[in-house]
Structures are given as C-alpha cells and as structure tokens.
Amino acid sequence: MRKKTTIYDIAKELNITASTVSRALNDNPKIRKATRELVQRTALEMNYEQNKVALALKSGKSNNVGVIVPRIDNNFFSSVIRGIEEELYPKGYHVIICQTHDLDDLEVNNIHSLLNVQVDGILMSISNAELEKNESFNKLIKNKKTPLIFFDRKIDIDGISSVTIDDFKAGYDTTQHLINQGCKRIAHLSNNRLFEIYKNRYLGYKQALIDNGLNFDEDLVIETESKVIEGRKSTSLLLDLEIPPDAIFSSSDFVALGAFQEIKSRGLKIPEDICIAGFSNEPFTRFMEFTTITTINQFPIEMGRIAAQVFLEEVNITNVKNKKNKNVVLTPELIIRKSSSKPFIPIKS
Amino acid sequence: MRKKTTIYDIAKELNITASTVSRALNDNPKIRKATRELVQRTALEMNYEQNKVALALKSGKSNNVGVIVPRIDNNFFSSVIRGIEEELYPKGYHVIICQTHDLDDLEVNNIHSLLNVQVDGILMSISNAELEKNESFNKLIKNKKTPLIFFDRKIDIDGISSVTIDDFKAGYDTTQHLINQGCKRIAHLSNNRLFEIYKNRYLGYKQALIDNGLNFDEDLVIETESKVIEGRKSTSLLLDLEIPPDAIFSSSDFVALGAFQEIKSRGLKIPEDICIAGFSNEPFTRFMEFTTITTINQFPIEMGRIAAQVFLEEVNITNVKNKKNKNVVLTPELIIRKSSSKPFIPIKS
C-alpha cells in the first residue's frame, strides 16, 4: 500500500513551507489566492486526504452549512435551498440539507446532528411553531457561536436573524384583488396560526375585508393542513354552507389545488362561480391545463440568497457580543391568473 | 455556569457503570434495548452533550447517512429520500441530503464532504454518467469501508450495490400500450443514454416496436434534458416533421408536460391526435385539469427503503472481504391515464 501523502510531501513538491501548505489548505486569506488554489489542486492530484473533522475540531471551521426545512418536496423550499447554494458554493461552503416532516422531535434532532458535525451555521424554516419553548432547542442554541438564521417560518428570538416576506401584505393584496373581482363572501383556508406567517396572511385577509366594508365571518375561515386532500375536505365544508363563499383565498397552493378539484367535482365554474387564489407559486399553479391558479410569488431564490448573505456576515463576526439580529422582509408579488380573472369586472354598485 | 454533565453523572443517577452508559449512548447492541433507551432518555434530560464528532473519530461511527441526488425538487427523488428516512430514523440514523444540480464537480465535492463529516454510508443517484472514469471519485471510494449504494441512476462497479427498476420493461410496456391504442408512429423523447436507465427505457421502446412489426425510425428519437421547456422544443421539432408522430413516449414527466403544452398550443387533441406517456408519476401528471398523463410508477418510497436496508446490511459487515454487491431490480407499473386512452380501441386490421 502506498504511503499516505502528507503536507510535507506537498510542500516539497511545490518548494514552499509546510505551514504555507497547511494554511492554504485551510483557505487562510493571508495566503495569496493563486497559491491557495495551486496548493489545493496539488493536494487533490497527490491524493492528499485532509481530515476535515479533525481540522474542524481544531480550527472550529468545517465549511459546511446546514439547512433544515419541513420538507424538500415543495418548490418553495427547494428554491430557497437553491438560492442558498448559489450564494454559498462560490464562497467555498458546502450545503447539507435535513428535513423534519414537520415533526418537532426530528427538528431538534436535526439541529443536534448538524451541530455535532460542526457546521459553521444553520439556516432553517421552523416546524414547531413554539420552538422557543422547547428546552432541548434552547440548550442547543444557548452559548453557541454557530449562527442560526430563520427564513419563512420564523420565531422572534433576540439575536437571531431572519428573512421573510411581508405576509400581511400578501394576504391583504390577494383579498383586495378578489374584492376587485366583485367577490363579497371570501373564505380563507388558513393553516396553524401559531406560525407567524399564517397569522399574518390571515390578518391581512381580515383587514382587507374590514377596509372594504365587507363582513368578516369566522365561519369562512378554516385551518387546513397544507395538503391537496385537506384542501378538498375543507372546501367541501365551505360549499355545504347555507350561503357558500364566492371566493377562496388559501395560504397554500396545495390546499388551493384541493379546493379547485372539489369545486370542479361539483360542477361549479372557476372563476365564474367561485374565484380561487393560492400562495407560493408552486409550478403546478401555472401548469394547469386551462385554469391557471392565482398565487403569491415569495421570491424563494432571493430569500435563500439573502439568508445566505446574512450567514456570511454573521460567521465572520468574531465577537459574538457585536452581533445584532437582522430581520429582512421581502415584498411579495401577487400573480393574477385565470382562477380569479372574471370575464368582466362588474361595475361597483 | 452549571458544570457539564458527564457519563459518570448519568451512571450515578441510574446506578449503573459508566462503561454501560457509554456503550448505551453509542447504541451498542450488547446492551439491552430497554437500558439503552433509559440511558439515552436520561442523558437528554440531564442535558448531556455527547461530542459525536470526537466519538466518530474514535469509534468510526457517526450515525449519519448521506444521500446525494441530482436535485431535490422532483417528487421521484424526494420520495426515495422519504423511503430512506422512514427506514433509517427508527434505527437511530440521521439522514443528510446533498444535491448536485447535475454538476459533475459538485457530485465529487458532495462525496468528499460527506466522507469528511464521517457519514456511515452514502446512498446516491449519480449525476455523471461516467462517474467511474472520474479519478477523484475512484480515489474517494477506493479502500474506504464506508458503504456506497446506488439507486435509480447507477453505474456498475464491482462491490457496489444498487436498487433500480426494470427500465427496459417500463419502456417496453409503455410502448406496447401505445401500440394497443392504435398508434403506429411513436416518437421517444429520451435523455442522455450514457445513463443506464435512459438507455434501457430506449431499448425497451425499440424492442416493442420491433416485436410488433413496426418501423423503428431514428428521426423519432430525440435526447432531451428533463425540463418542461426542453420538452416543448423537442416536440416542436417532431410536429414539424413531414409525417409527425401519433404518440410520444417520454422518459421524463417534465418533458411529457412540455410535449403536452406544445401539442395543445398547436390546437391538436390529446389523445385523439397524439397520445402522450411520461415517466415517474410526478404529482402534476394526475393533477391535470382534464387530461391526466399516463406515466410509470417507479415505486420511489420502496426504492428508498430497500436502498436503506441494503445499507443496514452492509454497514454491519465487519469484514469488507465478505461483502458482495446486491443488485435489486423492482418491477415498474404502467399507470394508464387520459393522455393515452383513446375513446375507442380500434379493431386490429
């Protein structure tokens, strides 16, 4: 078996000192970029195996960043991750992803595991709306120098930064649009409002109704898990009301799709009988054969990029006491499609 | 500040030896399951922080498993990952995910990083069809005891196990179905056939034509990247042929959707004028408003579970020389939907 390549072998090969090799391999900015690249290339060619974990234990840097999301199989989260990767890869970071399937236990386990493999930071969208009450979570983040950044589903914790959209505005704008279409009895398929994002979408919806002098009816608001089948069930309840709604604003595209299917299955017309608006701009909302679905663009790639930029700022702060949290709020965009575009805009009476 | 909990504190608390605590925390099967669970629960309650990286360095076990996929934002890969997680979480493993965006460099970097954080195994679907020719890859896997298991997109490497579906059969069955619908000029939107899975789908298609005495026309086969927009472009080429096809079998649902859009935009009818069949059973194929899309079920959750089971077998083999690779091939299922169900089955002439 061949002898293992050491940094001394690389130093000899390049006629530089071993300490330069070591620093170059650790991406020390004191070494010129060209030299760092030459050393790194040579190390790869000579099959040098750096024990990064051992290095991480020594230097406290692993160049790995962890991302935790409720689930990877929706376009919103996978696009945020893409934004994070686009920002971090060129900076030499590697992104590792974990999903929680919305399980509180798994969420804490994920954080634990990522800290244990010495990630340099964690970017996450929370699964437990009351994560701050979780003792294990608090123990994990307390006194840790590892930056933690929330995106989309966040909680307010002193010193922890976040990137979100203005969910209130998104809820308001969508409802206002439905009102402009002549809808007067607008239902809202909400989600667990312990999460700020769902609470704010709901509050925006409510405010738009009030501002337009429309009746706010609690019976027209249903908390629905973000699944197609749950959207169908909730819509079925709404359609069975004595006076059913003439529009549905859902805080999830998946739920909006369920609403769509239920309405169609009853022979009702979209948008003529009932308008629909979803949330997140999942690809299927624009792939619909005839009736594309109105939705909200949350600019997920940008959200990911900004979350990554915030991480890059925070990871370079050596004195944790200087750290101030940054809360970036992006402006959402309403995308009006066929599901809420009535053939004519009725004249206001 | 409170003193850190040690394994001795836990031992004292439970009135057992420190070595039992240590082994229980490392999930050593020599300790009774009930004891292991009690110790682990107590450790959590007492806020014991195990330094897993240090442990990994000592024991060679991290209880982390890495999964590498081309991209997380399609239902097939995210479902495989779900299957892997369902199998591994109850066994105490934690799953970390990386995506390559089909970039060869990123793929090798992912393997490198996962090995560096001491994962106990890597389950992957390859992005570089000629990965075995990649020197860095070979260096990384050579002499490593870390099990590597391929799923879906694989290459044949001695000693490396894989889980796939019978792609030839999937291609054959789909084509036979289209022939049974009376189609005689069936086009195939393929993908890079250096990948075994795409080659086999193509070969199945070709064989079905031959077995049915139909003409195989190379002009009707186009290699298309797995994207909606590319599906549109390729279909446009097919429709511009002097004699356009009467059916399209695509090895990707995304490409099939592009075909769908292009055909509709030209005012042609599906399935009356052209039948369409895709591959993978992405949710949108059944969410279509009217014309649901025929596709292939690859049983991704089962594929993930089996890949995880193969990993569990291999990780417990102490003598690498006893390791034999296992190649599991699942049977695909053709799901016939409206896009290829003609109003009547023509009588064979």
Side-chain angles (χ1 to χ4, degrees), chain A residues 99-144:
Chain A
Q99 59 180 343
T100 68
H101 298 283
D102 267 322
L103 300 171
D104 300 358
D105 281 6
L106 213 44
E107 182 168 46
V108 173
N109 278 348
N110 281 337
I111 300 172
H112 198 66
S113 287
L114 289 174
L115 291 175
N116 268 324
V117 299
Q118 315 273 354
V119 290
D120 294 337
I122 294 177
L123 283 63
M124 72 184 288
S125 195
I126 63 168
S127 294
N128 175 359
E130 302 183 290
L131 187 59
E132 79 280 10
K133 294 185 187 160
N134 184 301
E135 220 176 309
S136 304
F137 170 74
N138 282 315
K139 282 175 188 164
L140 283 170
I141 64 157
K142 207 175 288 173
N143 299 320
K144 291 276 177 194

Side-chain angles (χ1 to χ4, degrees), chain A residues 169-313:
Chain A
K169 180 174 162 56
Y172 192 98
D173 289 356
T174 308
T175 310
Q176 184 64 56
H177 158 67
L178 294 168
I179 295 168
N180 293 347
Q181 293 292 307
C183 303
K184 292 190 158 54
R185 198 163 155 71
I186 302 167
H188 179 41
L189 296 179
S190 181
N191 199 328
N192 180 356
R193 290 201 290 283
L194 287 174
F195 287 104
E196 261 187 49
I197 59 166
Y198 300 123
K199 191 182 73 187
N200 289 335
R201 290 170 198 182
Y202 160 81
L203 290 175
Y205 151 82
K206 194 172 173 180
Q207 194 59 47
L209 293 180
I210 293 167
D211 288 356
N212 284 274
L214 288 176
N215 191 28
F216 167 72
D217 182 350
E218 196 65 70
D219 286 351
L220 293 180
V221 178
I222 304 180
E223 273 200 13
T224 309
E225 225 185 308
S226 185
K227 286 179 180 166
V228 179
I229 181 73
E230 298 302 321
R232 278 200 80 142
K233 284 187 205 162
S234 298
T235 303
S236 180
L237 295 174
L238 290 171
L239 297 178
D240 287 343
L241 288 173
E242 207 168 330
I243 313 172
D246 56 10
I248 295 177
F249 160 47
S250 163
S251 59
S252 149
D253 278 338
F254 296 96
V255 169
L257 181 60
F260 191 100
Q261 292 175 349
E262 184 62 24
I263 292 166
K264 287 270 173 176
S265 79
R266 295 197 183 202
L268 295 167
K269 281 185 187 149
I270 301 165
E272 291 83 352
D273 299 324
I274 304 187
C275 286
I276 290 182
F279 212 105
S280 279
N281 198 21
E282 287 288 325
F284 65 78
T285 59
R286 61 177 179 278
F287 288 163
M288 299 302 289
E289 204 170 342
F290 294 104
T291 324
T292 51
I293 299 177
T294 293
T295 191
I296 288 284
N297 182 1
Q298 300 180 266
F299 299 99
I301 293 181
E302 200 178 345
M303 186 182 278
R305 295 191 81 118
I306 295 172
Q309 286 159 10
V310 173
F311 156 76
L312 289 170
E313 285 167 24

Side-chain angles (χ1 to χ4, degrees), chain B residues 126 128-130 132-133 154-155 190-199 223:
Chain B
I126 63 168
N128 174 359
E130 301 183 291
E132 79 279 10
K133 293 186 189 162
K154 72 166 172 86
I155 37 172
S190 182
N191 199 330
N192 180 357
R193 291 201 290 280
L194 285 175
F195 287 105
E196 259 188 49
I197 58 166
Y198 300 123
K199 190 182 73 185
E223 273 199 15

Side-chain angles (χ1 to χ4, degrees), chain B residues 281-293:
Chain B
N281 198 21
E282 287 288 325
F284 64 79
T285 58
R286 59 178 181 279
F287 288 163
M288 299 302 288
E289 205 170 340
F290 295 104
T291 325
T292 51
I293 299 177

